[in-house]
Every structure is written in C-alpha cells, then in structure tokens.
Amino acid sequence: MISAFTRMQGPMKVAVCAPEKSVGYWDLARMQFGSATTMSLHRSHGVVLRAVSAGDGTVGVVPLPEDGESDPWWTHLAVDQENVPRVIARLPFVQDRDAWFEDMGAMALAPIDHQDSGDDISLIVIAADPQISRARLHRQMTASGISGRIISAVGKGGDHAEWLHLVEVDGFIAPDDKRLGDFIKACDGDVERVIRIGGYAVPVHIGEDDKGH
C-alpha cells in the first residue's frame, strides 16, 4: 500500500466520501493518512471520483460496497479510460476488533494500477447478460480457476440490458491473466467483458490474543 501511494505525483490530498457516519469515515481516513494530509469531505462519490481522476495527487476514500445500491461507485471504475480511479487499498489496513472502526471499512482509490503484494484480494467487474444467474457465474469462475465471491450486482442500461457483478477474487489478477479469457469463453456469449478495477493487500487482523506480545 505504501509503494502504491509513493507512485503518485505531487503532494497527496484525500477526498473522503461519507454519505453517512461522516465523522467515522473522516476519522478512518485521518487515522490512515495522518493529521498533516490535506483532506476534504463529500456526500457524493461522484465528486470524489472526479477529484481522483483529475490526476493532481488526490486519493479517494469511499465506503465499502453494499449489495442493493442503485448507483454504486464501483460501476464508474468499470470503464477503459485514462486516469480512471482504481482500488489500491482497503481501510483500515490494520484491523483491530476492539477499535472504534471495527464495524466500518472503506476503499482507497487512485489513478494507478493495483500491484501484487504477495497476499491480495483483486476486484473485477463482470458485465453479463441479465439472464445469467450468480450461481452459474460462480460455477464458471471456479471451472476457470478463479476463486472468488460476488459481493454486489446492479442492472445498467435501458431495461437493465446488462448486469454488472462486483467480484472479490482471491489472489492477484494481472492484466493478461489467462483465466479471465477462459472465463469469458466458458460463458458462451453471456459475459461481454471482465474489467479489473484494482485490489488490495489483505489487511492485518489484530485480536486480544495478539496484544501484549
């Protein structure tokens, strides 16, 4: 995560999206990036995404995805354009179950690609025919060697012409990962494309047994 941030150009700024629990998300970002970092608070994820795309050293912080959202932020990352934000970290990186943030989490976004840390979760978006079920997508993922979980889905386009499925994949997915092509082929036309939208190093978990040692 540190190496990802150091690849950004210029002084870092943080734009925080907090539609609810604004103090909690602000403090979560402050805890991660430090009191000396310039920060701004926004209700709309669109404002945060535009700030990150501007390429002026801004990192975005957005709430974790939830199923059932009508316009989730992650769908705006599933495009092939210059300076599109990518997920580069999950916050907090050190997760203490006794900490004030134990029931909150966020993703950090930047216009740089996710790099392999050796212990990662990758995020992909599957654009699929609305008739294909989650169960079938899971079966085809498994058959293609992709171990993952669909954590959210939303219909897009007129009459929901396609469904976008957000998937957490165990391990690092490279741009040329053969498994993605195998998966699309196995779906026999029901999946139009798969887009990598980033990923993060698996957070460190601390519990009572870890304290005092």
Side-chain angles (χ1 to χ4, degrees):
M1 183 173 63
I2 294 174
S3 65
F5 294 140
T6 57
R7 286 185 289 119
M8 298 184 64
Q9 301 297 316
M12 185 187 302
K13 296 175 284 187
V14 178
V16 181
C17 175
E20 297 178 359
K21 300 182 180 178
S22 60
V23 174
Y25 285 111
W26 178 271
D27 288 347
L28 181 60
R30 180 65 78 197
M31 180 181 69
Q32 181 65 52
F33 297 103
S35 59
T37 302
T38 300
M39 290 177 44
S40 58
L41 183 66
H42 309 277
R43 296 290 185 186
S44 166
H45 62 65
V47 174
V48 171
L49 295 179
R50 286 192 293 273
V52 175
S53 298
D56 61 354
T58 298
V59 173
V61 173
V62 292
L64 294 179
E66 294 185 6
D67 210 3
E69 297 174 286
S70 60
D71 181 32
W73 57 262
W74 54 266
T75 63
H76 300 273
L77 277 56
V79 295
D80 184 18
Q81 297 176 3
E82 188 176 356
N83 289 332
V84 172
R86 292 290 181 250
V87 176
I88 58 170
R90 177 167 175 160
L91 309 181
F93 180 68
V94 178
Q95 299 188 356
D96 185 346
R97 66 183 182 184
D98 296 325
W100 189 76
F101 304 106
E102 63 178 314
D103 63 343
M104 296 180 65
M107 297 289 192
L109 311 177
I112 53 180
D113 202 10
H114 169 219
Q115 299 294 309
D116 188 0
S117 75
D119 187 15
D120 295 271
I121 296 293
S122 297
L123 295 171
I124 61 174
V125 173
I126 299 172
D129 185 282
Q131 300 303 316
I132 189 171
S133 67
R134 288 194 184 192
R136 184 183 169 203
L137 288 175
H138 274 295
R139 288 196 301 270
Q140 300 294 7
M141 284 165 52
T142 300
S144 302
I146 300 173
S147 173
R149 301 152 296 282
I150 297 175
I151 60 174
S152 184
V154 62
K156 304 294 286 186
D159 295 326
H160 290 174
E162 69 175 3
W163 274 79
L164 300 181
H165 301 264
L166 177 62
V167 183
E168 287 184 336
V169 178
D170 298 324
F172 179 71
I173 295 286
D176 58 351
D177 197 308
K178 181 177 180 295
R179 293 174 295 173
L180 299 181
D182 291 343
F183 168 71
I184 294 174
K185 184 176 180 180
C187 289
D188 195 24
D190 287 330
V191 168
E192 179 182 346
R193 62 194 184 281
V194 177
I195 308 98
R196 298 166 59 254
I197 66 165
Y200 54 87
V202 174
V204 176
H205 294 266
I206 296 177
E208 286 293 339
D209 293 341
D210 302 302
K211 296 180 179 180
H213 296 284

